[in-house]
């Protein structure tokens, strides 16, 4: 089998004793192949950002981990300082939700874009040319002028393009995008997504796209993982997930998302609320909110299993076809 | 229950009638010639991208911002003219209530949920302490909060619970119009759907008119009857929500609609469309 670009393998991340009742991530496995667009979907607090940051070797302070996070076959959790630096400057780039948090407001956009290249040994003039090319590729008009401007002179959507340009500067093989469009308007979101998907296809970059928006993930990803309370509860090809969810939480997410289509049913709420880190339900973490829960659901922990087709679901009743 | 404040009787058009609103900041018009009517108990959406003037419009309606031109009438009474005295100011404040995107910023971090609602009751209604407490319990129950939340400080609550508190506090004033400015935008989808359900129930039971300010067309489609589309401070299209969202007339409305992600979505076409419109 071809080696995946990213393999998160049975990753468990726990805060120090007494700080949480359950692990932040609990046996998470996911993979991204070269050129693949993979979605990671879940509501806030489900562990998406912790999973993303683990790809760069960043973990909560004093956290204990089990499992591996392999980028191109190497486990990043055991990398040396130099190894991590190399990983972050050459192999993996990350884009965050708030572009203003990723840039230094005091420095010109040009410096921000070229610093990584300069650190990697690219001569100044060549780095500037390349920065200009990148700004052009993400649709910034007058890229030469933009290099001299400061972050506050850009709108949120424009600045997120600058951040994307910077993320691509090192020609990473893997891009991790943590809710890159959540803070943007729908029209700007569409533009930023168009840029990301085009560049990703052109360059064959693998991409882990994190979002709380299942609709968005289904629209742009090849495969999607759905996370709940630190565990992957379902994964399928995006279109299958949308058409035939296997896990009641996925189905619930789809049903509670308002749709704009004229014939769409009104959003149907999922009762209750997500499991906090202070709670550690035995059995299925979704049981308290699940319309299909039975007694055994609060006793047995469902594991991810394959049902007909390619997908995996962690539900004790998935084989009964309760959602089909 | 009656309000402390006596409101002068007037006749004329009912509902919230907004005519020719204009607001400038530093010589630039943030809102320009905005007119619409929210009928009593109706639900009207104001949609558009960030910066198009939604919040500025809302703030003029509640009186947080003074219009440079135009009028606002509620139940035939002019709200845009200078208020004559405290009673009228209070009555105006009571009639239109507003809920914001981040209730945390509008809730006093030092006082409990029940105290915060009591404050509103004390301001507007002549109730004795037991009656006030009963009303607080009733309001919290209406928004699905219990005794534990009543005693809590805002920071002990989740985002969804805080938004419930903000709604209860707004309802405490028995308003005729509730303005919801991106009130569900920051919530997780499963919680957002709960709050939308709650709001639909409130509208059904209380007959309060909703002005629903949002950039999210899908949400607007489910909670409003009518909609106005704002672009750069001006209305480009308005009408019944279903017809505007099914057969939009203005290319900008069409662009907004096409931008909503869905299976088969083509973001590249949308960005081309946006450039063509600019
Ligand atoms: N550095 C940290 N220290 C302690 N707790 C953390 C840290 N980072 C995240 N958490 C907790 O882990 C859980 C998952 O967080 P996160 O991955 O940010 O969720 P998501 O991105 O899905 O919203 C949350 O309960 C969060 O509070
Ligand atoms: N107090 C203010 N001072 C200066 N400009 C403002 C002020 N409030 C809003 N604006 C400007 O008015 C325009 C409309 O803003 P706003 O009503 O907040 O839009 P929206 O709510 O649709 O995002 C924006 O260009 C904004 O920068
Ligand atoms: S295991 Fe039980 S509670 Fe959990 S999702 Fe399946 S049916 Fe629902
Ligand atoms: Mg996150
Ligand atoms: Mg606003």
């Amino acid at each position: 089998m071809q080696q995946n670009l990213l393999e998160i393998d049975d990753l468990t991340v726990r805060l120090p004793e007494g700080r949480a009742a359950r692990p932040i991530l609990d046996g998470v496995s996911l993979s991204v192949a070269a050129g693949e667009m993979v979605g990671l979907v879940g509501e806030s607090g489900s562990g998406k950002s912790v999973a993303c940051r683990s790809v760069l070797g960043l973990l909560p302070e004093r956290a204990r981990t089990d499992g591996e996070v392999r980028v191109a076959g190497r486990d990043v959790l055991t990398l040396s300082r130099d190894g991590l630096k190399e990983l972050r400057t050459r192999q993996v780039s990350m884009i965050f939700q708030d572009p203003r948090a990723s840039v230094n407001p005091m420095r010109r956009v040009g410096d921000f874009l070229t610093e990584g290249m300069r650190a990697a040994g690219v001569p100044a003039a060549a780095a500037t040319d390349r920065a200009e090319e990148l700004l052009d590729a993400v649709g910034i008009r007058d890229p030469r002028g933009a290099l001299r401007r400061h972050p506050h002179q850009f709108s949120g959507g424009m600045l997120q393009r600058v951040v994307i340009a910077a993320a691509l500067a090192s020609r990473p093989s893997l891009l991790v995008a943590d809710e890159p469009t959540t803070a943007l308007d729908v029209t700007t979101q569409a533009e930023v997504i168009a840029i990301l998907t085009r560049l990703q296809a052109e360059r064959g970059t693998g991409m882990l796209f994190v979002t709380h928006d299942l609709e968005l993930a289904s629209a742009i990803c090849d495969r999607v993982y759905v996370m709940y309370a630190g565990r992957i509860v379902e994964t399928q090809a995006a279109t299958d997930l949308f058409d035939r969810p296997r896990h009641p939480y996925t189905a619930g997410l789809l049903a509670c998302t308002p749709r704009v289509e004229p014939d769409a049913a009104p959003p149907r709420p999922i009762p209750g609320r997500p499991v906090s880190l202070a709670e550690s339900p035995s059995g299925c973490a979704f049981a308290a909110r699940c319309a299909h829960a039975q007694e055994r659901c609060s006793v047995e922990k469902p594991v991810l299993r394959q049902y007909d087709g390619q997908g995996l679901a962690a539900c004790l009743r998935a084989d009964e076809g309760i959602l089909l | 229950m009656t309000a402390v404040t006596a409101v002068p009787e007037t006749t004329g058009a009912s509902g919230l009638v907004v005519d020719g609103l204009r607001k400038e900041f530093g010589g630039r018009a943030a809102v320009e010639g905005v007119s619409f009517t929210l009928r009593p108990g109706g639900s009207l959406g104001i949609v558009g991208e960030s910066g198009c003037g939604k919040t500025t419009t809302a703030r003029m309606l509640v009186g947080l911002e003074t219009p440079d031109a135009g009028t606002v009438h509620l139940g035939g009474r002019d709200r845009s003219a200078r208020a004559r005295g405290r009673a009228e100011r209070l009555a105006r404040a009571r009639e239109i209530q507003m809920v914001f995107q981040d209730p945390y910023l509008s809730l006093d971090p030092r006082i409990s949920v029940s105290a915060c609602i009591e404050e509103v009751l004390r301001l507007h209604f002549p109730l004795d302490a037991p009656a006030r407490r009963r009303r607080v319990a009733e309001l919290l129950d209406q928004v699905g909060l219990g005794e534990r939340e009543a005693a809590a400080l805002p920071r002990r609550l989740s985002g969804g619970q805080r938004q419930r508190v903000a709604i209860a506090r707004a309802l405490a004033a028995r308003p005729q119009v509730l303005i919801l400015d991106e009130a569900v935008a920051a919530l997780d989808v499963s919680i957002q759907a709960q709050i939308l359900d709650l709001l639909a129930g409130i509208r059904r039971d209380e007959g309060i008119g909703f002005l629903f300010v949002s950039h999210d067309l899908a949400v607007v489609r489910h909670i409003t009857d009518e909609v106005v589309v704002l672009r750069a401070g001006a209305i480009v299209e308005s009408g019944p929500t279903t017809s505007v969202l099914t057969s939009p007339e203005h290319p900008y409305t069409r662009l907004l609609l096409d931008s909503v992600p869905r299976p088969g979505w083509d973001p590249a076409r949308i960005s081309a469309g946006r450039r063509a419109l600019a």
Side-chain angles (χ1 to χ4, degrees), chain A residues 246-249 283-294 296-298 300-302 314-318 322:
Chain A
R246 271 289 190 174
H247 195 283
Y249 178 61
C284 175
F286 189 58
R289 310 176 74 187
C290 181
H292 305 284
Q294 296 176 326
R296 64 181 170 133
C297 297
S298 45
E300 276 174 68
K301 230 186 227 319
C315 167
L316 297 171
R317 303 192 62 194
I322 48 173

Side-chain angles (χ1 to χ4, degrees), chain A residues 43-44 187 191 264 270 272, chain B residues 49-50 188 190 194 221-222 274:
Chain A
E43 293 183 277
S44 60
T187 52
E191 288 194 81
I270 304 175
Chain B
E49 290 179 280
S50 69
D188 272 310
S190 72
Q194 293 175 2
R221 175 170 119 56
H222 291 283
R274 190 183 190 193

Side-chain angles (χ1 to χ4, degrees), chain B residues 18-22 31-36 46 53 57 60 70-71 228 230 233-235:
Chain B
V18 175
D19 189 30
L21 275 192
R22 176 183 167 82
V31 173
E32 173 79 79
V34 165
S35 307
F36 56 80
I46 301 185
T57 303
M60 286 191 277
T71 56
V228 302
L230 270 188
I235 295 180

Side-chain angles (χ1 to χ4, degrees), chain A:
Chain A
M1 203 184 99
Q2 194 206 335
Q3 188 190 44
N4 281 314
L5 193 56
L6 170 66
E7 276 172 342
I8 297 183
D9 189 0
D10 206 10
L11 177 65
T12 296
V13 174
R14 278 172 223 275
L15 289 179
E17 205 68 57
R19 298 249 333 262
R22 62 166 175 90
I24 296 182
L25 297 181
D26 189 359
V28 167
S29 295
L30 65 81
S31 66
V32 179
E36 199 184 18
M37 175 83 107
V38 174
L40 178 59
V41 176
E43 293 183 277
S44 60
S46 58
K48 303 181 299 296
S49 294
V50 171
C52 278
R53 293 166 59 86
S54 76
V55 178
L56 291 177
L58 296 167
L59 292 160
E61 212 176 320
R62 297 196 295 127
R64 291 168 298 148
T65 61
D66 281 305
E68 290 189 353
V69 178
R70 294 185 293 270
V71 174
R74 281 196 305 173
D75 183 11
V76 306
L77 300 183
T78 55
L79 278 182
S80 64
R81 255 178 116 98
D82 288 347
L84 279 176
K85 190 164 170 232
E86 154 97 16
L87 173 89
R88 293 173 197 162
T89 50
R90 292 183 192 276
Q91 286 183 295
V92 185
S93 286
M94 188 145 169
I95 305 169
F96 298 92
Q97 174 174 336
D98 179 8
R100 303 217 184 261
S102 322
V103 302
N104 180 338
M106 308 303 289
R107 299 183 61 210
R108 290 174 200 279
V109 157
D111 298 334
F112 170 64
L113 282 169
T114 52
E115 67 190 353
M117 291 188 268
R118 301 280 293 120
V122 179
T128 303
D129 285 349
R130 177 134 172 72
E132 213 178 304
E133 263 171 55
L134 285 164
L135 287 179
D136 187 54
V138 296
I140 300 254
R141 264 169 270 172
D142 181 24
R144 181 159 289 258
L147 291 175
R148 284 193 300 272
R149 281 187 267 148
H150 284 92
H152 72 265
Q153 294 170 287
F154 292 82
S155 68
M158 285 296 158
L159 199 60
Q160 192 62 298
R161 291 165 198 240
V162 171
V163 170
I164 292 170
L168 295 166
S170 57
R171 301 182 192 279
S173 47
L174 178 66
L175 202 56
V176 178
D178 190 0
E179 311 224 27
T181 59
T182 300
L184 307 176
D185 273 314
V186 277
T187 52
T188 313
Q189 163 166 285
E191 288 194 81
V192 168
I193 299 281
I195 291 164
L196 277 175
T197 48
R198 175 172 54 81
L199 295 172
Q200 188 240 356
E202 280 170 14
R203 294 160 188 239
T205 317
M207 185 149 141
L208 183 62
F209 187 92
V210 176
T211 174
H212 64 274
D213 186 344
L214 188 48
E215 208 101 359
L216 174 61
S218 309
I220 65 169
C221 294
D222 301 312
R223 284 186 302 123
V224 175
Y225 293 88
V226 180
M227 201 143 101
Y228 190 77
R231 291 166 74 95
I232 303 287
V233 297
E234 173 157 20
T235 173
Q236 288 207 56
T239 43
D240 294 344
L241 187 80
F242 199 84
D243 294 340
R244 270 171 287 115
R246 271 289 190 174
H247 195 283
Y249 178 61
T250 315
L253 274 184
L254 286 168
C256 73
T257 306
R259 301 267 180 85
V260 79
E261 291 83 358
D263 53 347
R268 195 151 34 96
I270 304 175
R273 60 190 167 104
V275 183
S276 78
L277 277 186
E279 303 162 277
S280 176
S282 57
C284 175
F286 189 58
R289 310 176 74 187
C290 181
H292 305 284
Q294 296 176 326
E295 236 165 81
R296 64 181 170 133
C297 297
S298 45
V299 184
E300 276 174 68
K301 230 186 227 319
V303 292
L304 270 177
R305 274 182 45 200
Q306 184 153 11
Y307 298 92
D308 55 3
Q310 295 292 309
L312 305 172
C315 167
L316 297 171
R317 303 192 62 194
D319 59 342
E320 293 172 43
I322 48 173
L323 294 169
L324 304 177

Side-chain angles (χ1 to χ4, degrees), chain B residues 15-16 18 36-46 58 61 74 95-99 142-143 167-168 170-171 174-181 183-184 194-214 219-220 222-228 241:
Chain B
L16 179 68
V18 175
F36 56 80
T37 299
L38 168 68
R39 59 176 179 78
S43 179
L44 178 100
I46 301 185
L61 303 184
L74 181 63
E95 287 167 347
I96 304 187
Q97 291 284 310
M98 191 151 161
V99 174
Q142 192 176 4
V143 298
I167 293 168
L171 293 180
R174 294 200 182 273
Q176 294 174 35
V177 173
L178 187 58
I179 300 183
L180 299 132
D181 188 358
V184 299
Q194 293 175 2
I195 300 292
L196 289 174
D197 234 32
L198 172 70
L199 288 170
I202 287 169
R203 194 177 148 220
R204 209 168 39 236
D205 301 341
E206 309 272 325
I208 296 174
F210 283 0
L211 199 73
F212 200 88
V213 174
S214 175
V219 168
V220 164
H222 291 283
I223 195 153
T224 67
D225 308 326
E226 289 182 89
V227 67
V228 302
T241 306

